[in-house]
Amino acid sequence: MAELDSAQAQETVSHETQNKPASVSFSIWPPTQRTRDAVINRLIESLSAPSILSKRYGTLPHDEASDTARLIEEEAFAAAGSMATGNDDGIGILEFYSKEISKRMIDTVKSRSAPAADSTPLPETESKPSESPADASEPPSASGLTGEVSSVETES
């Protein structure tokens, strides 16, 4: 009978240990080198390929974009790493790292395009209504609309 109780006790202990979830530590900081390389490759693409960013600030040659991307990522990684604490899961640090990369990328393209902007004026982005001689001769209506629109209003 003692053997039966001992066998049941061992079975109960092994059954309890199987049902207990293993305590797993999950941390997303620091990112793996593979992730950092992917970030750098995406930065190179953003800096050297046509995009919304390049329409406004221009593109960098691939070699320059590669060097710049590596520098941006390294600086952002160092800045985020200085914030890391031992008891953090890394989400806040990863968010800071991502924002630092974006900020540094924008600062880089802005500073690079600033000398070019000084030598050639950028076209105005605001469109001004063009006035033809016919529009200028008609007085604006009381509502502030142009003569063309007010004449439509009077016809209806």
Side-chain angles (χ1 to χ4, degrees):
M1 182 87 167
E3 290 176 21
L4 185 60
D5 289 338
S6 174
Q8 286 177 343
Q10 286 178 348
E11 184 178 316
T12 304
V13 169
S14 67
H15 183 66
E16 286 176 3
T17 58
Q18 289 174 355
N19 288 340
K20 285 185 180 179
S23 74
V24 177
S25 173
F26 181 72
S27 178
I28 58 175
W29 186 262
T32 63
Q33 187 60 47
R34 182 178 172 193
T35 302
R36 292 181 66 191
D37 290 342
V39 167
I40 291 169
N41 289 334
R42 183 68 179 123
L43 273 169
I44 293 168
E45 183 181 332
S46 296
L47 293 169
S48 64
S51 66
I52 292 174
L53 188 68
S54 70
K55 285 180 184 177
R56 182 165 186 156
Y57 299 109
T59 58
L60 275 66
H62 194 280
D63 292 343
E64 186 179 346
S66 179
D67 294 341
T68 302
R70 290 183 196 292
L71 182 63
I72 289 170
E73 193 281 334
E74 287 172 4
E75 289 174 351
F77 183 79
S82 68
M83 292 182 51
T85 60
N87 60 355
D88 193 3
D89 63 359
I91 292 174
I93 300 165
L94 191 64
E95 183 179 4
F96 177 81
Y97 169 71
S98 176
K99 286 180 180 180
E100 275 296 302
I101 288 172
S102 297
K103 183 184 92 167
R104 291 170 190 267
M105 181 178 65
I106 296 295
D107 290 347
T108 298
V109 295
K110 280 183 178 180
S111 67
R112 186 180 182 278
S113 70
D118 291 341
S119 62
T120 57
L122 293 175
E124 289 186 27
T125 56
E126 295 181 20
S127 61
K128 295 181 181 176
S130 62
E131 291 186 16
S132 67
D135 290 340
S137 65
E138 291 183 31
S141 68
S143 65
L145 300 173
T146 64
E148 182 181 7
V149 175
S150 63
S151 64
V152 173
E153 290 176 0
T154 57
E155 289 176 9
S156 52

